[in-house]
Amino acid sequence: MKVLGNKQLRDFNDAPTKNDGRLRFSKQNVVYKSSKTGKVDNIPAAELSVATWRRVCLGHGIKLATSTGHVYKYDGFRDTDYEKISEFFKANYKVELTEKDMCVKGWNWGTAKFSGPLLSFDVNDSSVFEIPLASVSQCATGKNEVTLEFHQNDDAEVSLMEVRFYVPPGNADEGTDPVEAFAQNVRSKADVIQATGDAVCVFKELQCLTPRGRYDILIYPAFLHLHGKTFDYKIPYTTVLRLFLLPSKDQRQMFFVISLDPPIKQGQTRYHFLILHFSKEEELKLTLNMSEEEVEKRYEGKLSKNMSGSLYEMVSRVMKALVNRKITVPGNFQGNTPGAQCITCSYKAQSGLLYPLERGFIYVHKPPVHLRFEEISSVNFARGTTTTRSFDFEVETKQGNQFTFSSIEREEYGKLFDFVNAKKLHIKNRGFKEAKNNEYSDSDDDQHDAYLERMKAEGKIREEGDGSNDSDEETVFLPSLSLRYDSNASESDSGSGGDGSDDEGKKKKPAKKAKVVKEKKERKPRKEKKQKDTNAPKRPMSSYMLWLNSSRERIKSENPGISITEISKKAGEMWKQIGKEDREEWDGKAEEAKKNYEKAMKEYRENGGGSSTPAKKESKKKAGGKKEDKKRKSGGGEKEKEQGGNDSFKSREFISSEESSSDGERKKAKKAKKAKGKPQSKGKVLHCHYGNNRMN
């Protein structure tokens, strides 16, 4: 199959704005597919009747007319494409590609011609502009004028909303009003919906999730009418792109999703999806408002006059027959929950369900999102930000948009990974599947407890202190206070008598706990700022900067009035598009500049450049280090004096205790106990330093 023009083009058919997509010419047909919506225009080669090549504002365009009255317009071609396309049309379609110029005189007086779905305004047989009548939302008439209103364009910053045509009065002998004739021609092809005749069937009080509320749905042959208490919507079947029938996770409810383009509007809100919510238990008997012969002739056995079954089956069956589109259902994916074909997750702080389909993902319900595999560039599995029991599923499209579905249970990871891998989507972190599974399996048990580790370290230090009896006294310094153990302390010091006869009736008072005083952290010296050596050779520029300096003036001349930031952005885009040969040239220049810099720097250092600054810094460091050593030595001596001072010194807490009121009483008690010859207890006494005071 020979293919021509398979490139990014723009489509102006049945829409108030341009749509990017791809156009393909083959021997059998002409196919255009929109990149945004996925909508496909298929034009059989046998139906092509007229092909026109013309110059438009963005290059060149082509206009195709069919024998059935449809007109298709595409632009984005180059001037050199004309000969190639013209030869292909002659050889395969037997159609002459004629060149026709647009009128650019600026006149506002001409002739209005209706050709199929287009309104063309011509001056001297040259077209000035064309209006797709499908873009017209309202048509109003006045005395001698007709006003056309258009659908609002959500994607454009500025859009055309209204055009008025002055129609001169005709001769009275004709008997027809030219204004009404003009308006009638517009209404026959415009997107102005008027409910004429009876509805085929009516569904009462159906629950809608978007737009929210309960609506009566009236099914007409050409459009769908939603009638609610506050709002009414009329949806032409031509705006329906896809139909979805999705089961809920509990297997008791169903979602019927209708994808729309253009969307329905409610003020400034746009609804791209119509979501109906059903219960599987609801039953309905339906009778169509048509005869059996008419039903058989129009719908070819897809519907019957009398039908019965579940409510969601009746609605989906009628919509499929009238819209003439297939209904998409979930594929072979099975979640962690038995029977569930979806995954519970959150999108934009709203909880919903993500359905992996055969050709994409769809999320319901607030806001609904449909992502086709062909528009996805990559996916990523990321760890949840708040808890280790969940993960995030990130999807990035080819247009640069990113969708993050968060709070997915970690049990769903394996099945979702296998599904994405089977669909051959690009996974950014493909190598981390096993690591992530292990990470999720016991992540709660392996969390680091800083407090527990600190307690273990302190206990270990205490055990080492208790087991050492080599010296009479041992001082152990902890982070917050200094502790000293006296292994040969006397009984009176320990606070318990040898026989206990004097203090049998008295209750022992607990020793007062020492307050913990945090040591002041030493301030780190401030780092000195590096002084720039103005005499040193300048560093070499990269290949990109060399190219930018040479191309900056050219970018300014091609884009007058461009700002500095826009120059950088434009230059970055141009640099990415530079070919390999041109980039190698600039890489060679950068490499040469780097060698010259190294050579100049070597000569500069050999001549003594840049040596004064480091020498000064080293001398300062040595001087600072000596001062710090002196301070440490002086501080350590003072501490030793405080710890090894007179034993008669007692802290305030020790003096205020009732157990020992004076030093004399303590000495007498010692002598009396020694005289009796009773063995002294070898208990240990804990001496603490609190500030400058010492206590038991």
Side-chain angles (χ1 to χ4, degrees):
M1 181 182 292
K2 190 174 182 180
V3 177
L4 290 177
N6 192 6
K7 60 176 70 177
Q8 284 291 122
L9 299 174
R10 280 173 289 273
D11 165 37
F12 292 88
N13 304 311
D14 302 332
T17 182
K18 63 185 181 181
N19 294 317
D20 291 339
R22 289 189 174 274
L23 182 67
R24 183 179 67 182
F25 297 111
S26 66
K27 294 181 179 180
Q28 291 79 16
N29 53 11
V30 178
V31 180
Y32 172 81
K33 186 172 185 179
S34 173
S35 300
K36 180 181 177 183
T37 62
K39 188 176 180 181
V40 178
D41 293 336
N42 194 342
I43 310 170
E47 295 182 1
L48 282 177
S49 58
V50 178
T52 306
W53 179 270
R54 53 189 183 176
R55 184 177 179 83
V56 292
C57 58
L58 298 173
H60 292 78
I62 189 170
K63 176 183 174 183
L64 304 176
T66 64
S67 57
T68 57
H70 293 88
V71 177
Y72 302 89
K73 295 186 298 178
Y74 307 99
D75 74 4
F77 293 97
R78 299 175 182 174
D79 190 15
T80 55
D81 295 334
Y82 172 73
E83 295 180 1
K84 193 164 46 175
I85 297 174
S86 179
E87 292 176 0
F88 187 83
F89 273 43
K90 284 181 183 178
N92 297 280
Y93 301 152
K94 310 299 181 185
V95 175
E96 185 75 23
L97 184 63
T98 58
E99 282 190 89
K100 191 172 183 180
D101 295 331
M102 304 287 289
C103 180
V104 292
K105 293 182 178 180
W107 293 3
N108 63 347
W109 185 266
T111 306
K113 294 181 180 179
F114 293 91
S115 56
L118 290 178
L119 167 59
S120 175
F121 185 76
D122 298 346
V123 174
N124 296 334
D125 295 332
S126 296
S127 179
V128 179
F129 62 86
E130 293 177 343
I131 298 175
L133 294 178
S135 302
V136 177
S137 61
Q138 294 293 336
C139 178
T141 59
K143 185 178 180 181
N144 286 321
E145 69 179 17
V146 179
T147 304
L148 305 184
E149 296 181 9
F150 304 100
H151 291 293
Q152 185 176 349
N153 180 17
D154 300 327
D155 298 327
E157 297 179 359
V158 180
S159 58
L160 180 64
M161 298 303 299
E162 184 181 284
V163 171
R164 293 185 180 182
F165 291 94
Y166 173 77
V167 182
N171 299 326
D173 299 336
E174 295 179 0
T176 57
D177 187 2
V179 174
E180 285 297 329
F182 188 97
Q184 190 61 34
N185 287 328
V186 173
R187 292 193 186 104
S188 62
K189 297 292 183 180
D191 190 15
V192 181
I193 301 174
Q194 296 178 351
T196 57
D198 296 330
V200 175
C201 60
V202 179
F203 298 99
K204 294 283 187 180
E205 292 290 324
L206 294 185
Q207 182 182 356
C208 268
L209 298 181
T210 55
R212 190 174 181 84
R214 288 193 173 270
Y215 291 85
D216 294 340
I217 298 184
L218 288 76
I219 306 293
Y220 287 89
F223 65 94
L224 178 72
H225 184 195
L226 270 69
H227 176 68
K229 295 181 179 179
T230 309
F231 300 100
D232 277 13
Y233 303 98
K234 294 177 181 177
I235 305 171
Y237 295 142
T238 54
T239 64
V240 176
L241 288 179
R242 295 175 184 86
L243 302 174
F244 301 90
L245 187 60
L246 309 171
S248 181
K249 195 170 186 178
D250 57 6
Q251 302 295 318
R252 296 180 181 177
Q253 300 170 353
M254 298 292 292
F255 299 103
F256 185 64
V257 184
I258 303 174
S259 175
L260 304 172
D261 184 52
I264 56 177
K265 304 167 187 177
Q266 180 179 311
Q268 296 299 320
T269 308
R270 304 290 179 266
Y271 296 105
H272 292 269
F273 294 88
L274 175 65
I275 302 179
L276 302 175
H277 191 207
F278 301 98
S279 173
K280 282 190 173 182
E281 299 176 356
E282 294 181 85
E283 300 288 334
L284 178 68
K285 291 183 179 180
L286 182 65
T287 302
L288 301 183
N289 191 17
M290 300 171 66
S291 63
E292 292 184 2
E293 293 79 9
E294 192 175 357
V295 172
E296 183 66 28
K297 182 180 178 181
R298 181 174 294 184
Y299 302 113
E300 298 177 353
K302 297 178 182 177
L303 297 177
S304 58
K305 182 175 175 61
N306 298 309
M307 296 181 292
S308 62
S310 300
L311 179 58
Y312 73 90
E313 291 179 352
M314 295 295 100
V315 174
S316 59
R317 186 176 175 184
V318 171
M319 288 297 299
K320 180 181 178 181
L322 292 172
V323 178
N324 198 20
R325 293 191 181 276
K326 295 180 180 179
I327 296 180
T328 304
V329 297
N332 300 324
F333 177 81
Q334 291 292 330
N336 186 57
T337 305
Q341 295 180 290
C342 57
I343 297 172
T344 303
C345 62
S346 298
Y347 176 65
K348 291 186 176 180
Q350 294 288 338
S351 180
L353 299 173
L354 178 66
Y355 290 86
L357 307 174
E358 288 300 320
R359 296 185 180 180
F361 296 99
I362 186 169
Y363 172 83
V364 291
H365 73 96
K366 193 175 181 181
V369 177
H370 180 229
L371 299 170
R372 292 173 286 115
F373 289 155
E374 59 190 28
E375 63 179 344
I376 295 176
S377 62
S378 64
V379 298
N380 183 38
F381 293 88
R383 184 167 181 171
T385 56
T386 57
T387 177
T388 59
R389 295 184 177 275
S390 64
F391 67 95
D392 297 347
F393 182 58
E394 300 172 352
V395 181
E396 186 174 350
T397 63
K398 294 177 182 178
Q399 287 78 22
N401 301 322
Q402 185 168 352
F403 301 86
T404 302
F405 303 98
S406 58
S407 302
I408 303 176
E409 295 179 359
R410 61 184 179 184
E411 289 80 7
E412 305 281 4
Y413 172 76
K415 295 186 177 181
L416 183 59
F417 184 93
D418 294 339
F419 175 82
V420 172
N421 196 26
K423 296 300 180 182
K424 298 181 180 180
L425 296 177
H426 174 62
I427 304 174
K428 285 186 177 180
N429 52 354
R430 177 180 292 274
F432 296 101
K433 181 184 177 183
E434 295 180 0
K436 190 176 285 290
N437 279 330
N438 296 333
E439 180 183 4
Y440 288 149
S441 60
D442 55 355
S443 56
D444 292 341
D445 301 333
D446 296 339
Q447 285 185 352
H448 178 71
D449 192 339
Y451 178 77
L452 179 61
E453 296 295 332
R454 186 160 59 86
M455 291 296 102
K456 287 180 180 179
E458 291 182 3
K460 192 174 181 180
I461 293 172
R462 291 195 190 99
E463 289 176 2
E464 291 175 357
D466 291 342
S468 60
N469 294 324
D470 296 339
S471 60
D472 291 344
E473 287 188 347
E474 182 181 356
T475 303
V476 181
F477 292 96
L478 295 178
S480 56
L481 68 159
S482 63
L483 303 178
R484 189 157 87 176
Y485 296 96
D486 190 356
S487 59
N488 297 323
S490 63
E491 294 181 15
S492 60
D493 290 341
S494 63
S496 60
D499 54 355
S501 60
D502 298 338
D503 299 330
E504 285 178 356
K506 295 182 181 179
K507 294 182 179 178
K508 295 180 181 180
K509 289 188 177 180
K512 293 185 178 180
K513 294 182 179 179
K515 295 182 179 179
V516 180
V517 180
K518 294 182 179 179
E519 292 182 356
K520 293 183 179 179
K521 294 182 180 179
E522 295 182 2
R523 293 184 179 178
K524 294 182 180 180
R526 293 183 179 179
K527 293 183 180 179
E528 295 183 2
K529 293 183 178 179
K530 293 183 180 180
Q531 295 181 355
K532 189 176 181 180
D533 192 353
T534 56
N535 299 324
K538 292 185 178 180
R539 289 181 175 275
M541 289 188 289
S542 64
S543 56
Y544 169 72
M545 293 304 298
L546 292 171
W547 172 83
L548 178 61
N549 289 341
S550 65
S551 306
R552 184 177 282 108
E553 296 300 328
R554 178 169 59 85
I555 295 173
K556 287 182 180 179
S557 62
E558 292 177 356
N559 303 275
I562 192 172
S563 63
I564 297 175
T565 56
E566 291 175 348
I567 289 175
S568 302
K569 185 176 180 181
K570 184 73 174 176
E573 295 175 355
M574 295 172 65
W575 176 253
K576 290 180 180 178
Q577 298 175 357
I578 287 181
K580 186 177 180 181
E581 297 180 357
D582 296 338
R583 187 168 290 194
E584 287 178 355
E585 178 186 350
W586 292 105
D587 290 341
K589 292 182 179 180
E591 188 66 27
E592 185 179 354
K594 184 179 179 181
K595 291 179 181 178
N596 295 336
Y597 166 76
E598 291 175 353
K599 184 178 179 181
M601 197 68 188
K602 186 176 180 181
E603 294 177 356
Y604 177 72
R605 286 173 180 168
E606 289 176 354
N607 295 332
S611 60
S612 59
T613 311
K616 288 181 180 179
K617 288 185 179 179
E618 289 179 3
S619 62
K620 286 183 181 179
K621 285 183 180 178
K622 289 180 180 179
K626 290 179 181 179
K627 289 181 181 179
E628 289 180 1
D629 293 340
K630 288 181 181 179
K631 286 182 181 180
R632 289 175 183 170
K633 289 179 181 178
S634 61
E638 290 175 1
K639 286 184 180 179
E640 289 176 0
K641 287 179 182 178
E642 289 178 1
Q643 293 176 2
N646 189 9
D647 291 340
S648 62
F649 173 80
K650 303 292 182 298
S651 64
R652 294 179 184 177
E653 291 83 352
F654 188 86
I655 295 170
S656 62
S657 64
E658 296 179 2
E659 294 179 359
S660 58
S661 58
S662 64
D663 293 339
E665 292 176 0
R666 289 178 58 204
K667 289 179 180 179
K668 288 178 182 179
K670 271 187 180 181
K671 289 178 180 179
K673 290 170 188 173
K674 287 179 181 179
K676 290 180 181 179
K678 292 183 179 180
Q680 295 182 0
S681 63
K682 293 185 179 181
K684 293 186 179 181
V685 179
L686 178 65
H687 299 282
C688 302
H689 290 276
Y690 174 56
N692 293 326
N693 299 326
R694 182 178 175 224
M695 67 178 77
N696 281 351

